Amino acid sequence: MTRVGLGFDAHAFDDTRPLVLGGVRIEGVPGLAGHSDADVVSHAVADALLGAAGLGDVGDRFPAIDEWRDADSVEILRACMAAVTEAGWAVANADVTVIAQRPRRADHRAAMVDNLARALGVVSDRVSVKATTTDSMGFTGRGEGIAALAVVLVAATDEGGTPPLG
């Protein structure tokens, strides 16, 4: 059996913080406002992952309390993956789109893919990170923040803990 989850996250820019996307710190641009490190890529993937497994959302598991202030979102994703594994699911693939006018993400894409794949316990060819703009429309187009949309496919594991997919 397979199931699909959809995740979305968006944060406004915050000049006082570093920018982290997919666990990659990107220099020379403002960071994002948020309780954790505000990594919209990791948050969107975590929500898609939890949704696919029927385990709620990242806000339920990691509420905006002091314990999670400035938390590393890749570590949050790793913890979500542990819960998904315990529930009998494995990731078949994950696909995420970053929506922003800036910064350019192409130079950081491979590192984001590697970080996400490690957190999800899969080989990197099962993870895709893409980028798009909104042609200057909406809050991302006006350069006010960044959004991310993710889809994750999970498969029920066999007794050995591996998905029945190739």
Side-chain angles (χ1 to χ4, degrees), residues 39-121:
D39 180 343
V40 295
V41 171
S42 295
H43 292 177
V45 174
D47 268 342
L49 176 65
L50 292 170
L55 297 175
D57 64 47
V58 75
D60 291 337
R61 290 178 172 271
F62 301 94
I65 59 175
D66 283 346
E67 178 182 358
W68 303 114
R69 184 169 305 284
D70 298 323
D72 179 332
S73 294
V74 172
E75 290 302 318
I76 289 172
L77 178 57
R78 198 170 274 118
C80 292
M81 186 62 217
V84 167
T85 300
E86 186 175 319
W89 300 97
V91 171
N93 79 298
D95 182 36
V96 60
T97 300
V98 183
I99 306 159
Q101 291 299 122
R102 63 182 169 112
R104 287 192 44 82
R105 280 95 48 208
D107 295 343
H108 307 286
R109 183 174 301 149
M112 287 185 220
V113 167
D114 289 345
N115 288 341
L116 296 171
R118 277 194 302 276
L120 296 172

Side-chain angles (χ1 to χ4, degrees), residues 13 21 97-105 131-135 139-141 143 145-148:
F13 282 117
L21 296 175
T97 300
V98 183
I99 306 159
Q101 291 299 122
R102 63 182 169 112
R104 287 192 44 82
R105 280 95 48 208
T132 192
T133 68
T134 58
D135 293 327
F139 85 94
T140 60
I146 298 177

